[in-house]
Amino acid sequence: MKILICDDDREIARAIGIYLRNAGYETCEVYDGRAAVEAAKDEEVQLIMMDVMMPGMDGIRATEAIRRVRNIPIIMVSAKGESYDKVSGLDCGADDYITKPFDPVEMVARVRACLRRYRSLGSAEEAPSVLKTGGLRLDTETKEVTVDGEEVNLTPKEFGVLKFLMEQPGRVYSMEQIYEAVWKEPAFNFENTVAVHIRHIREKIEIDPRNPAYLKVLWGIGYKIEKIDEPGNETEGAPAGAGGGPGSGK
């Protein structure tokens, strides 16, 4: 099994790698959170050892980003051992937490335990390739988006924003969260960029972009994709679907 090690201290990353390879695992090393998010896309990676305190994208944000696309064991490794830090690490999606300096034997045992637990219980259900809400449909494999059967042409970044929001319908994300998840870089002077992409998406998927049925704003908080039952299956009190195809202004 391949284990991804992420730590900005290369000596610590190298040491962890030695212990794990001696235990029979294959390893690869990266040295910042952003590189870890990219490396985690490798389907051969079966567990991640994630440092918490790193410049740029820290381990908490990297874990949150990885959790949106993969469900594999993540063990946080940090010199900060306070309860608050441990809780923060576990709350962001980590499976276990090790405090530096750690016992190499215990570390390997925790790795084995996490892998054994995932193998025996099975990972969570994989995210569906087709995301739906009301008449809005997004296929993550073919990159096709349709509204009530009519195809909508989105740019790659527009597709990324819509996909990110549709993965958790009803959940509100700030502009900063959207930018960092889609552009995969620290948010800096990002507000106008996100706002422009949101406006363009609305123009393409909404009948009335000024009164959107799908892509909603909560002023001062962020954006969300509305949860809408599929047309013909609305429950009492649920919002109706957008109905009809995209506006002619797309």
Side-chain angles (χ1 to χ4, degrees):
M1 289 189 175
K2 180 186 286 188
I3 295 176
L4 172 63
I5 302 164
C6 178
D7 197 309
D8 63 323
D9 188 322
R10 296 182 181 233
E11 290 301 318
I12 292 178
R14 191 172 297 114
I16 292 175
I18 291 173
Y19 298 139
L20 292 174
R21 287 191 295 276
N22 287 342
Y25 298 105
E26 180 183 352
T27 66
C28 56
E29 300 171 14
V30 295
Y31 310 107
D32 62 75
R34 201 166 307 283
V37 173
E38 289 300 312
K41 296 177 182 178
D42 180 357
E43 294 296 328
E44 293 185 1
V45 172
Q46 296 298 307
L47 182 142
I48 302 172
M49 303 289 293
M50 179 74 73
D51 185 31
V52 175
M53 301 299 293
M54 293 183 290
M57 177 181 281
D58 62 23
I60 299 293
R61 291 195 295 167
T63 296
E64 291 174 337
I66 292 169
R67 275 287 173 255
R68 288 193 284 268
V69 295
R70 294 209 60 192
N71 183 39
I72 58 176
I74 299 177
I75 299 178
M76 307 297 286
V77 183
S78 177
K80 303 178 71 176
E82 292 82 358
S83 296
Y84 172 80
D85 300 304
K86 292 182 179 180
V87 170
S88 296
L90 296 172
D91 279 349
C92 78
D95 297 271
D96 203 350
Y97 194 105
I98 298 176
T99 303
K100 302 175 186 176
F102 50 82
D103 181 343
V105 176
E106 179 186 355
M107 180 200 71
V108 172
R110 287 176 180 265
V111 167
R112 286 174 176 157
C114 275
L115 289 171
R116 184 169 58 248
R117 185 162 60 247
Y118 265 65
R119 285 197 301 267
S120 63
L121 298 178
S123 61
E125 183 178 343
E126 293 184 1
S129 62
V130 177
L131 307 175
K132 300 178 183 177
T133 181
L136 177 61
R137 181 181 183 275
L138 181 148
D139 192 316
T140 61
E141 293 183 356
T142 65
K143 310 301 181 186
E144 293 178 341
V145 176
T146 59
V147 179
D148 296 333
E150 293 188 26
E151 187 172 357
V152 175
N153 295 317
L154 301 180
T155 67
K157 282 293 187 288
E158 290 167 359
F159 181 90
V161 171
L162 185 60
K163 173 178 176 291
F164 176 68
L165 294 173
M166 287 186 70
E167 287 173 338
Q168 294 288 337
R171 177 173 174 178
V172 181
Y173 289 97
S174 68
M175 280 188 168
E176 182 178 7
Q177 288 174 313
I178 295 170
Y179 186 88
E180 291 186 346
V182 177
W183 277 262
K184 301 187 185 306
E185 61 185 32
F188 180 73
N189 290 334
F190 57 88
E191 291 89 348
N192 187 61
T193 299
V194 174
V196 168
H197 281 76
I198 292 289
R199 186 179 77 245
H200 289 169
I201 294 170
R202 279 179 170 163
E203 290 171 350
K204 296 176 180 182
I205 70 171
E206 304 283 1
I207 292 177
D208 181 2
R210 295 185 179 181
N211 185 30
Y214 295 113
L215 213 172
K216 304 276 190 160
V217 61
L218 276 73
W219 295 108
I221 303 176
Y223 296 94
K224 70 173 181 176
I225 284 292
E226 191 72 82
K227 284 185 178 181
I228 304 175
D229 288 337
E230 291 198 40
N233 294 321
E234 292 88 354
T235 57
E236 184 176 355
S248 58
K250 71 172 184 175

